[in-house]
Amino acid sequence: MTKAEKVQFIIDSLQELYPNPKPALDHKDPYTLLVAVALSAQTTDKKVNEVTPGLFAVADSPSKMAKLSIDHIKELITGIGLNNSKSKNLHLMANQLMDRHQGIVPDNFEDLEALAGVGHKTASVVMAQAFGIPAFPVDTHIHRLMWRWNLSNGKNVEQTEKDAKRLFPREIWNDLHLQIIYYGREYSPARGLDIQKDFITRKIGRKSFLKTLIK
């Protein structure tokens, strides 16, 4: 199977499994998405979705968040990992949005990545899911599967993103990154992999990896 055939097999398989993938983080607009994604670092989406309703009931806009104290924000996100730094970042981010962007979440990478607590992955999620601009956010699932599928060398997430953008059509990036994440969670987890269930890896996976699984 050529690399192009492998790529098409992945696209077709994921489209059949997840024809209309929806973002995992609950939100109602670009700002609440930005906050939810910023909170999700080293925390499960499920936990973020448990915490954000209470947070957004108090502060669902930059102007409201900026008026809260850092301690109050920290109380509202109790249970979220790294809540000390995240509460400080949310407070500063809200003030930056008010001071620089009239309280509006910017729709470009440069301005997003200049905000407190916003790295390239977070900015990519917001660009894709809030504004519909093609991006390919690489999380641990995508990084793992791109290596398992022998489509990237696993060196770092930056290289994985470059490889994904090179291999997959730009017009499907926004759906595809979600589809790969959902497949990774359901079929190809980091631990406890059942290679019989993980049919994509079983068919097109890295041979050296498959040798460690298939006896």
Side-chain angles (χ1 to χ4, degrees):
M1 189 180 281
T2 67
K3 183 162 282 189
E5 289 172 334
K6 288 182 178 181
V7 166
Q8 194 59 52
F9 172 69
I10 291 167
I11 293 170
D12 293 342
S13 299
L14 295 178
Q15 185 60 27
E16 184 174 343
L17 286 174
Y18 313 106
N20 296 293
K22 304 298 182 189
L25 293 169
D26 296 336
H27 65 282
K28 65 178 183 177
D29 56 24
Y31 178 66
T32 53
L33 176 63
L34 175 61
V35 170
V37 179
L39 289 174
S40 70
Q42 298 186 39
T43 304
T44 65
D45 292 345
K46 180 181 177 182
K47 188 62 183 177
V48 174
N49 287 338
E50 291 173 359
V51 167
T52 49
L55 175 64
F56 295 149
V58 177
D60 61 355
S61 68
S63 60
K64 293 177 183 177
M65 190 75 74
K67 292 174 183 175
L68 300 182
S69 68
I70 293 173
D71 286 341
H72 191 182
I73 296 172
K74 184 179 176 181
E75 289 174 10
L76 291 167
I77 62 171
T78 296
I80 293 287
L82 306 176
N83 61 7
N84 273 324
S85 59
K86 288 177 181 177
S87 57
K88 293 174 184 176
N89 284 335
L90 289 185
H91 186 264
L92 179 54
M93 178 204 296
N95 280 281
Q96 290 171 330
L97 287 170
M98 295 303 297
D99 293 342
R100 301 175 186 175
H101 305 289
Q102 296 76 51
I104 298 172
V105 176
D107 60 357
N108 65 84
F109 280 100
E110 182 178 1
D111 287 335
L112 281 170
E113 292 180 27
L115 297 171
V118 178
H120 182 67
K121 180 201 163 191
T122 295
S124 295
V125 173
V126 173
M127 291 289 280
Q129 297 177 10
F131 300 118
I133 297 170
F136 211 106
V138 173
D139 77 340
T140 55
H141 298 288
I142 294 173
H143 188 54
R144 177 175 73 253
L145 291 184
M146 287 288 289
W147 182 85
R148 285 183 177 176
W149 295 342
N150 203 21
L151 299 179
S152 191
N153 61 18
K155 184 178 179 182
N156 52 56
V157 293
E158 291 79 14
Q159 185 60 51
T160 298
E161 180 180 345
K162 288 179 183 177
D163 291 334
K165 287 181 172 179
R166 175 176 52 83
L167 291 167
F168 296 108
R170 189 172 189 268
E171 62 270 18
I172 67 170
W173 289 353
N174 288 357
D175 279 350
L176 186 64
H177 87 268
L178 291 171
Q179 292 168 329
I180 296 176
I181 290 169
Y182 295 154
Y183 184 88
R185 289 175 178 171
E186 188 174 357
Y187 292 88
S188 191
R191 296 181 180 85
L193 172 65
D194 179 354
I195 193 60
Q196 297 307 315
K197 182 178 180 181
D198 182 3
F199 66 95
I200 294 180
T201 304
R202 193 172 72 246
K203 182 160 184 173
I204 58 99
R206 185 182 294 268
K207 290 181 180 178
S208 61
F209 176 65
L210 290 173
K211 283 181 181 178
T212 68
L213 298 168
I214 301 175
K215 307 300 182 183

